[in-house]
Amino acid sequence: MAETKGKFDFAIDRGGTFTDVFARLPDGRERVLKLLSRDPQNYKDAPTEGIRRVLEEETGQLFPRDQPVDTALIGWIRMGTTVATNALLEREGERTALLVTKGFKDLLHIGTQARPKLFDLEVAVPDVLYEEVIEVDERVVLCQDDCQLPRKDPKRIVTGSTGDSLEVWQELDLEQVEKDLRGVLSRGISSVAVLLLHSYTWSDHEKAVGSLARRLGFTQVSLSSEVMPMVRAVPRGYTVCADAYLTPKIHQYLKGFTAGFKGGLKDVDVLFMQSDGGLTPMEQFCGSRAILSGPAGGVVGYAITSYSQMEKKPVIGFDMGGTSTDVSRYAGQYEHVFEATTAGVTLQAPQLDINTVAAGGGSRLFFRSGMFVVGPESAGAHPGPACYRKGGPLTVTDANLALGRLLPSFFPKIFGPAENEPLSLEETMTHFRRLTEEINIFLSASQTQVNGANKSQNSMVPNSQSVMSVEDVAMGFIRVANEAMCRPIRALTQAKGHDTSQHVLACFGGAGGQHACAIARALGMKTVFIHKYSGVLSAYGLALADVVEEVQEPCSLKYEQQCFSELDRRMEQLCRRCHDTLSARGFSNGQITTEVFLHLRYEGTDCALMVTADGYPSHANSCQAGDFHSAFTKRYLKEFGFTIPDRPIMVDDIRVRGCGKSGINSTHKSKMGHTQAKPVMMTKCFFEDGYMDTSVYLWEELPCGKTIQGPAIIIDKNSTILVEPSCEACLTEEGDVCLTVGSDSQCVIGTELNTVQLSIFSHRFMSIAEQMGRVLQRTSISTNIKERLDFSCAVFGPDGGLVSNAPHIPVHLGAMQETVQYQIRSLGNKLKEGDVILSNHPCAGGSHLPDLTVITPVFRKGVNRPVFFVASRGHHADIGGITPGSMPPHSTSLQQEGAVFVSFKLVTGGVFQEEAVTEALMAPAQYPGCSGTRNLHDNLSDLQAQVAANQRGSQLVGELIDCYGLDVVQAYMGYIQSNAELAVRDMLREFAQRRWRQTFSLEVESEDFMDDGTPIRLRVQINEEEGSAVFDFTGTGTEVWGNCNAPRAITLSALIYCLRCMVGQDIPLNQGCLKPIKVIIPPGSILQPSQDAAVVGGNVLTSQRVVDVIFKAFEVCSASQGCMNNISFGSERVGYYETVAGGAGAGPNWHGRSGVHSHMTNTRITDPEILEKRRCRDVPGR
């Protein structure tokens, strides 16, 4: 289909700011063009204008703007567009109504119940896409013969497409639905989304509603069973809403686009890029598959141009734009995800796995409490960076300009209010001089505090920088931005078991070339590849892409011998559907390929992998399509670090991806060079060693095969490439630039504070905790940790003080530090290399017993004591006690709540103590009415996952020490803690000043009561001069005969959480936050109970009340719902545990939010379809 000899072919990426056009001309030549996506004074539609210009300039014929373009010379048009993405971001889609099963009206309002930003008291959850909700009186449930819950007598039993039997409890009331739909239609809503429970397997009710809606005149009817028939009602609901909301906007755009051509493009092959990296005919392009239409072209572009089938070296795609940077990975196959969130909407559809970080050319630069901060705020297109002459702020682009890495003379004069001026170096330098002065004042003040006679507790640390130059400051921000962009690349590689250094960095997008060498060097990569069309690679990728047809259907079969014939039949049927569709579009048999995927998971788990059998040929004990068992277990082992040999494997979905090969082949070759490249000018650029003479080359004039030594700058129309010192560039035969990255001349970093290094070390420590969290999530087996994310990971100093953490659950934050410090006091010199400690007792810093904390000391050769500690805390769904789930509502002693560990050596000398820990987990059975753990297998697996996460953290800490030295790493650990301390002191001083102006008092107090009348009383005395405070809980009620007692560690967690929220900016969360604080808690009170007191409710209820009391004292916001609302039920075979969201309180400038977790927790809620399908049916061993 790609062969259209004698005609013009166009591939166009319509972005938010620019539209990129790639054109293949009839004689085989190629052209690229970039124009503004919106320029209403000159043209109506940018893609149409791009096609018109190329045709007019290349043929010499006149193609008037005010007339439809003649299509006689056009072969095909391929497009990627951000129309759907922009409509979603700006909430400018079609007015939509949602029809949902009665009783689930607020299902999508609640969503996963997790709040997006942990420390933002204003819970800003994106609005739902529908305007009205119609509750449909119907109910279908899966047959559950041994269910003990009250149930209705089914009207009938039906069989779903998965083979499951379902009971129809309530037949569809179409008469009432018609009345409701007519009412919606009369109010001007013409688009509907239909989401009925379990329609992924039995869709009759949805189809009946859809048929009625179309008959009544609704112009867009989206059914969840057709848009994406996969289990999970919440993401399927979001997806069908997005489809109903966005598809009319896409059709509206397509109508306008085709109107710009004679005959409405009837005889032209027009294809659009989907989020999965495949092309689809224009008439089938829909909202739910269009969100990544633009970025997907770039992934296809670098995958095809950068990956070598011979070398098979994996590639990291690095697309740095104005507001953000997208990273992705390609190793011979596109990596897809089937659930991803964009603009607050979780879509359940095949999408390329693209990770985004809020760091781009337009990211703003800040200096906060002694730290260099880049983003996430962006200057946007308007006003843009300071150098755009529109009053914008300092950005990463300005930093590059200040360092001489961007040359204004090579940029068009499109800046300023009239858009006719060049980039302004003067504006940039004025802003930087002002910021540099602010930084130097801070450094001078902190140095004075250290040198002063009164070395008070609020003194800052020694500083090696008496004065920073403008260039030092700009360079510092560049280094911090680079480190921020390295973090998602590490997550994409290291966190999935890949070695980052064994990748090629494929750089594209307008801003990436300035950072490519530094990013590659920081990650240990040796090669950077920059395609000749890197500035328009998304458009070029469209020209290279294939047409894709995907079909998918749900399944509930086991992957076992007796099911293979049925699986083979269904796979063959889906393959035939794909083949027939592509044949109907004009592809020959030789152009069509199909690939089968099975969505597989271990029975009793929620973590499914979409697996292909490519490379695993079929045999007697497999399906005809291949050995999916081997493919699944090998990938599971690589991703999660273990397999579960004794568990059956379940097939959740069957998917077939058909491809019609249609990409072009570029035949352009560059001229071989016989002489060295000649620079067009010399300039001065600032690097680590100061200013250096830097050669400037034009890309179009470079001969291939010749090497350019750094430092150098290579410029073309759409991008600037910086070749750093010790790096070299070479032009390939195809005209692309290949950079070889040399090792950096190691800059020796001392133990004295450097503010730039402070920011970089903050990123590195946080990255360690994040990677620990990803390993734990990957390698765990329980739903609680893997799916609900009820865990936290952290790094601690040699004194047990918190250094950095990946904050998932706030109630863990301060408590983990208490646990580590208890072990240091308790075990001291008994801690040896190869030991791992397990603890959960409240007296040892535990929060409640199900939260098991695993602690690993990090040793260094030649040092007797641990130099760091790493720890992970995860909530285990059952550890014994009087009720399944180990969360008894009526416990009165600690022994009733499950297994207890104080300082238990889980690993000794590198050996996991399985027998001993099993015995301890079963020990609660010795108490009256109690049981040992009801899920030993998951306990052991999750504990091993926690050990693995700690091991990864220990390795990363070791690598950091190898790079910088122990004394430097520990010094910066202290500086980061001091930085957090400074931020809290600043906040307390500001509050004290406001308080004094209003009341002439520096004391605040508050009181609130538990349901039984027990008071929680707080008095806070603030010292404005020191920026310190005493939090005194004297007067709080005594320990209760029940389980709402909260260990001391809980109060500290609540306090550190509140302080972080009140600081109001992104600071490192560590023990420094508590350094300005003195805490007084009366022993024997509900907040510091006796050693054997029941505490399970204190963690989930009292902790929330403590937060409310603190915020009440500071008048920050109104109270939250005040409880995590724990629900648990089960038997000896199965347990279910959930925290159900209540709501967050209002503040002075914001409303509260219902149906969302608040304050001390942020776990996800189990999807209702998953609950009904698996929690009561899919139990291992049944």
Side-chain angles (χ1 to χ4, degrees):
M1 284 187 68
E3 293 302 319
T4 52
K5 292 181 179 178
K7 293 192 174 185
F8 290 83
D9 298 324
F10 295 93
I12 304 170
D13 175 41
R14 185 188 185 277
T17 305
F18 291 103
T19 291
D20 300 332
V21 179
F22 168 85
R24 189 176 63 170
L25 311 183
D27 59 5
R29 288 183 298 118
E30 298 168 353
R31 272 197 61 175
V32 294
L33 179 69
K34 188 182 284 280
L35 63 162
L36 289 170
S37 293
R38 297 189 55 150
D39 190 357
Q41 293 180 334
N42 292 305
Y43 45 82
K44 293 180 181 179
D45 177 69
T48 306
E49 173 65 11
I51 292 171
R52 190 197 68 78
R53 286 186 191 179
V54 171
L55 291 174
E56 190 170 86
E57 291 170 11
E58 293 296 331
T59 63
Q61 301 174 27
L62 188 63
F63 287 78
R65 274 191 184 138
D66 57 352
Q67 296 178 21
V69 176
D70 188 347
T71 61
L73 295 176
I74 300 176
W76 49 249
I77 299 172
R78 299 173 174 202
M79 280 184 62
T81 176
T82 58
V83 167
T85 312
N86 292 341
L88 189 62
L89 288 169
E90 297 162 13
R91 292 299 194 263
E92 292 183 350
E94 191 74 8
R95 294 179 65 195
T96 301
L98 169 66
L99 285 83
V100 68
T101 299
K102 187 176 182 179
F104 292 85
K105 178 180 180 179
D106 294 318
L107 181 66
L108 301 187
H109 172 83
I110 297 168
T112 67
Q113 79 180 2
R115 60 192 187 277
K117 295 184 178 180
L118 204 58
F119 302 110
D120 283 5
L121 295 175
E122 180 184 2
V123 180
V125 177
D127 293 333
V128 293
L129 302 181
Y130 51 84
E131 190 173 315
E132 292 194 29
V133 180
I134 297 173
E135 291 190 84
V136 179
D137 193 9
E138 66 88 44
R139 188 67 162 100
V140 175
V141 299
L142 293 158
C143 287
Q144 301 179 35
D145 297 332
D146 58 350
C147 179
Q148 302 299 308
L149 297 173
R151 54 194 294 181
K152 297 182 179 180
D153 292 327
K155 302 288 191 293
R156 57 190 169 117
I157 294 178
V158 297
T159 302
S161 61
T162 59
D164 287 318
S165 295
L166 300 99
E167 299 176 358
V168 180
W169 283 6
Q170 178 63 50
E171 293 286 3
L172 177 65
D173 185 353
L174 267 181
E175 186 176 328
Q176 183 60 47
V177 173
E178 181 171 352
K179 290 180 183 176
D180 293 335
L181 283 174
R182 288 187 183 277
V184 165
L185 199 58
S186 69
R187 291 187 288 277
I189 296 175
S190 59
S191 182
V192 293
V194 185
L195 171 67
L196 304 181
L197 255 61
H198 300 294
S199 60
Y200 67 92
T201 181
W202 192 73
S203 58
D204 288 25
H205 281 179
E206 275 200 358
K207 288 178 179 175
V209 171
S211 177
L212 172 62
R214 292 186 184 97
R215 181 166 56 81
L216 292 175
F218 284 89
T219 55
Q220 176 64 39
V221 178
S222 298
L223 307 182
S224 75
S225 54
E226 294 176 353
V227 172
M228 181 46 65
M230 291 180 76
V231 67
R232 292 182 193 273
V234 172
R236 193 172 77 252
Y238 283 138
T239 306
V240 73
C241 286
D243 196 76
Y245 185 74
L246 299 174
T247 300
K249 286 296 178 182
I250 289 174
H251 289 168
Q252 182 182 331
Y253 172 73
L254 294 180
K255 184 178 179 181
F257 173 64
T258 55
F261 297 86
K262 287 184 179 178
L265 290 172
K266 185 176 64 175
D267 298 322
V268 178
D269 184 27
V270 183
L271 301 170
F272 274 75
M273 175 61 78
Q274 300 183 111
S275 300
D276 64 357
L279 297 165
T280 193
M282 176 172 61
E283 59 273 11
Q284 295 183 17
F285 191 49
C286 64
S288 60
R289 300 292 183 98
I291 301 300
L292 296 181
S293 176
V299 175
V300 173
Y302 86 75
I304 294 177
T305 59
S306 305
Y307 182 77
S308 167
Q309 290 291 345
M310 296 289 289
E311 297 179 10
K312 297 192 180 300
K313 194 166 185 176
V315 184
I316 294 293
F318 178 72
D319 180 7
M320 184 177 176
T323 59
S324 63
T325 297
D326 293 333
V327 298
S328 53
R329 181 177 183 271
Y330 183 81
Q333 284 188 330
Y334 295 113
E335 298 187 0
H336 289 101
V337 292
F338 294 85
E339 220 173 272
T341 302
T342 302
V345 178
T346 301
L347 297 180
Q348 196 179 45
Q351 304 167 61
L352 290 170
D353 189 3
I354 299 173
N355 290 259
T356 301
V357 60
S363 292
R364 296 180 60 183
L365 311 181
F366 303 95
F367 185 74
R368 292 173 175 160
S369 301
M371 288 192 74
F372 282 60
V373 178
V374 177
E377 299 91 340
S378 172
H382 298 283
C387 59
Y388 281 18
R389 299 178 184 267
K390 292 182 180 179
L394 277 179
T395 66
V396 172
T397 296
D398 291 296
N400 278 309
L401 180 62
L403 297 173
R405 300 173 175 201
L406 292 178
L407 304 177
S409 59
F410 288 90
F411 279 74
K413 294 181 179 181
I414 57 172
F415 305 101
E419 298 185 348
N420 60 355
E421 299 179 75
L423 283 175
S424 174
L425 178 61
E426 295 78 14
E427 286 284 338
T428 291
M429 296 306 286
T430 298
H431 280 71
F432 261 117
R433 279 191 287 268
R434 195 178 304 137
L435 180 58
T436 302
E437 182 179 357
E438 175 190 332
I439 292 171
N440 284 326
I441 290 172
F442 174 87
L443 296 177
S444 176
S446 64
Q447 192 67 36
T448 301
Q449 287 178 5
V450 170
N451 295 334
N454 179 24
K455 295 186 178 181
S456 62
Q457 60 180 345
N458 65 338
S459 62
M460 207 35 199
V461 286
N463 200 296
S464 62
Q465 301 163 282
S466 55
V467 177
M468 293 186 76
S469 67
V470 166
E471 291 82 2
D472 291 332
V473 170
M475 189 69 186
F477 279 112
I478 292 294
R479 292 172 63 195
V480 172
N482 289 341
E483 184 57 39
M485 290 183 285
C486 285
R487 277 170 67 178
I489 298 176
R490 291 191 182 101
L492 202 64
T493 53
Q494 293 175 357
K496 293 186 177 181
H498 307 297
D499 183 349
T500 311
S501 65
Q502 298 305 307
H503 289 68
V504 172
L505 187 68
C507 182
F508 57 105
Q514 298 144 48
H515 298 258
C517 287
I519 296 284
R521 181 182 284 128
L523 295 169
M525 298 178 180
K526 300 300 181 187
T527 305
V528 177
F529 185 86
I530 305 177
H531 193 268
K532 64 184 176 185
Y533 296 141
S534 61
V536 294
L537 195 63
S538 289
Y540 187 58
L542 296 170
L544 303 174
D546 295 324
V547 176
V548 168
E549 172 68 16
E550 283 209 4
V551 289
Q552 181 171 318
E553 62 182 35
C555 182
S556 285
L557 297 173
K558 290 183 178 179
Y559 188 81
E560 58 186 12
Q561 190 76 44
Q562 52 264 47
C563 297
F564 286 163
S565 59
E566 175 63 12
L567 286 170
D568 285 332
R569 183 191 67 79
R570 293 176 66 175
M571 287 188 278
E572 176 58 32
Q573 188 178 56
L574 294 179
C575 285
R576 194 178 308 116
R577 278 175 56 187
C578 279
H579 193 282
D580 291 348
T581 301
L582 290 170
S583 293
R585 292 178 189 160
F587 289 97
S588 66
N589 288 341
Q591 292 176 305
I592 299 173
T593 61
T594 57
E595 188 171 16
V596 178
F597 297 82
L598 295 183
H599 204 202
L600 303 174
R601 63 180 172 85
Y602 283 115
E603 188 178 45
T605 71
D606 282 339
C607 186
L609 297 176
M610 193 68 79
V611 175
T612 173
D614 184 34
Y616 298 88
S618 62
H619 51 76
N621 296 316
S622 76
C623 290
Q624 292 179 8
D627 183 3
F628 285 93
H629 183 279
S630 295
F632 172 72
T633 53
K634 184 170 182 180
R635 183 170 160 201
Y636 203 95
L637 180 64
K638 185 175 183 64
E639 291 230 3
F640 305 133
F642 66 97
T643 58
I644 317 175
D646 56 338
R647 292 267 184 108
I649 296 173
M650 304 298 297
V651 184
D652 276 352
D653 301 278
I654 304 170
R655 168 181 166 236
V656 173
R657 181 179 174 89
C659 287
K661 299 295 180 182
S662 62
I664 67 168
N665 293 313
S666 179
T667 57
H668 171 79
K669 299 289 182 184
S670 292
K671 58 184 179 182
M672 288 297 295
H674 300 290
T675 59
Q676 287 294 333
K678 294 181 180 179
V680 294
M681 64 174 287
M682 297 295 292
T683 188
K684 294 277 188 181
C685 282
F686 191 88
F687 297 96
E688 296 289 350
D689 296 327
Y691 278 105
M692 298 180 69
D693 290 332
T694 303
S695 304
V696 181
Y697 300 88
L698 295 181
W699 192 331
E700 61 192 26
E701 295 179 2
L702 294 179
C704 74
K706 299 299 180 179
T707 299
I708 296 172
Q709 297 292 335
I713 293 175
I714 301 173
I715 294 176
D716 79 343
K717 296 175 184 176
N718 302 311
S719 60
T720 298
I721 301 171
L722 179 70
V723 186
E724 295 200 0
S726 76
C727 300
E728 60 183 37
C730 182
L731 196 74
T732 68
E733 246 183 88
E734 290 74 24
D736 311 316
V737 170
C738 183
L739 300 174
T740 302
V741 181
S743 58
D744 195 10
S745 53
Q746 190 67 32
C747 178
V748 178
I749 297 169
T751 56
E752 291 187 322
L753 173 64
N754 177 293
T755 50
V756 175
Q757 283 299 140
L758 177 67
S759 302
I760 292 172
F761 268 99
S762 178
H763 277 287
R764 293 299 295 269
F765 279 126
M766 181 60 75
S767 179
I768 292 171
E770 288 173 346
Q771 289 199 54
M772 289 175 64
R774 291 188 179 97
V775 170
L776 178 52
Q777 187 182 1
R778 284 196 305 116
T779 58
S780 61
I781 191 173
S782 70
T783 299
N784 256 15
I785 295 178
K786 186 177 285 291
E787 299 293 320
R788 294 182 61 249
L789 306 183
D790 197 346
F791 69 87
S792 292
C793 296
V795 180
F796 303 84
D799 62 349
L802 179 63
V803 178
S804 68
N805 70 310
H808 295 107
I809 309 300
V811 78
H812 295 165
L813 299 181
M816 288 177 73
Q817 173 175 304
E818 292 279 299
T819 305
V820 176
Q821 290 176 335
Y822 178 90
Q823 304 308 322
I824 294 173
R825 292 193 302 269
S826 175
L827 297 174
N829 293 330
K830 296 178 184 176
L831 281 172
K832 305 295 181 187
E833 190 166 5
D835 289 349
V836 179
I837 309 304
L838 172 62
S839 181
N840 70 343
H841 198 291
C843 77
S847 42
H848 62 173
L849 296 186
D851 282 343
L852 299 184
T853 304
V854 175
I855 304 161
T856 302
V858 180
F859 284 87
R860 193 72 179 167
K861 190 174 181 179
V863 182
N864 295 329
R865 301 175 66 85
V867 296
F868 278 92
F869 290 85
V870 291
S872 54
R873 176 169 289 185
H875 185 109
H876 288 239
D878 197 291
I879 56 165
I882 58 176
T883 61
S886 303
M887 293 288 294
H890 50 275
S891 56
T892 56
S893 69
L894 192 66
Q895 289 74 20
Q896 295 175 331
E897 296 177 352
V900 177
F901 302 90
V902 180
S903 298
F904 183 89
K905 287 202 173 183
L906 182 63
V907 177
T908 302
V911 179
F912 186 79
Q913 302 298 302
E914 183 169 341
E915 186 176 335
V917 76
T918 298
E919 183 180 337
L921 286 165
M922 301 308 297
Q926 64 187 291
Y927 300 107
C930 293
S931 165
T933 179
R934 299 163 183 84
N935 200 346
L936 178 64
H937 180 277
D938 283 10
N939 292 137
L940 295 175
S941 295
D942 283 353
L943 285 171
Q944 289 167 342
Q946 288 178 258
V947 172
N950 288 8
Q951 177 64 19
R952 181 61 182 151
S954 180
Q955 290 172 354
L956 292 171
V957 169
E959 290 174 10
L960 196 62
I961 294 171
D962 288 340
C963 183
Y964 293 100
L966 177 60
D967 55 345
V968 172
V969 174
Q970 287 189 336
Y972 275 92
M973 170 203 74
Y975 300 154
I976 288 169
Q977 292 170 334
S978 296
N979 179 260
E981 174 192 348
L982 177 65
V984 171
R985 289 188 188 277
D986 287 345
M987 180 273 293
L988 289 172
R989 288 191 186 100
E990 289 172 11
F991 177 81
Q993 291 165 5
R994 289 198 311 272
R995 181 73 179 174
W996 183 260
R997 286 195 300 267
Q998 294 167 359
T999 67
F1000 300 104
S1001 171
L1002 294 181
E1003 188 174 289
V1004 296
E1005 59 182 28
S1006 64
E1007 183 179 39
D1008 211 337
F1009 299 88
M1010 303 290 288
D1011 289 349
D1012 64 358
T1014 301
I1016 298 176
R1017 194 165 293 153
L1018 171 64
R1019 176 175 294 159
V1020 184
Q1021 295 173 303
I1022 303 170
N1023 184 319
E1024 180 184 346
E1025 183 181 353
E1026 292 183 353
S1028 63
V1030 177
F1031 282 70
D1032 186 354
F1033 289 91
T1034 299
T1036 294
T1038 58
E1039 175 184 321
V1040 296
W1041 180 252
N1043 58 28
C1044 286
N1045 304 294
R1048 174 183 171 85
I1050 295 288
T1051 301
L1052 295 180
S1053 289
L1055 185 52
I1056 196 172
Y1057 166 78
C1058 291
L1059 292 170
R1060 168 62 182 82
C1061 290
M1062 288 190 290
V1063 165
Q1065 63 189 44
D1066 191 11
I1067 64 167
L1069 193 69
N1070 54 53
Q1071 78 163 4
C1073 294
L1074 290 178
K1075 194 168 182 182
I1077 309 299
K1078 180 182 179 181
V1079 183
I1080 300 173
I1081 305 175
S1085 70
I1086 194 176
L1087 301 184
Q1088 193 164 327
S1090 60
Q1091 185 163 312
D1092 294 323
V1095 298
V1096 72
N1099 183 72
V1100 299
L1101 196 160
T1102 312
S1103 65
Q1104 298 281 52
R1105 307 302 300 122
V1106 172
V1107 171
D1108 286 340
V1109 168
I1110 295 171
F1111 283 147
K1112 182 180 180 181
F1114 283 83
E1115 300 179 350
V1116 173
C1117 62
S1118 57
S1120 71
Q1121 189 251 342
C1123 182
M1124 298 181 194
N1125 304 307
N1126 281 244
I1127 296 174
S1128 61
F1129 61 83
S1131 65
E1132 293 305 311
R1133 292 178 302 175
V1134 62
Y1136 172 77
Y1137 167 77
E1138 194 80 78
T1139 54
V1140 181
N1149 305 308
W1150 70 85
H1151 295 295
R1153 175 48 154 89
S1154 65
V1156 69
H1157 261 321
S1158 60
H1159 300 322
M1160 300 304 283
T1161 188
N1162 203 34
T1163 56
R1164 300 177 183 177
I1165 196 167
T1166 306
D1167 190 275
E1169 288 181 344
I1170 294 294
L1171 173 61
E1172 294 185 11
K1173 179 179 175 64
R1174 297 185 189 158
R1175 291 293 161 265
C1176 301
R1177 303 175 74 249
D1178 184 13
V1179 182
R1182 288 188 57 187

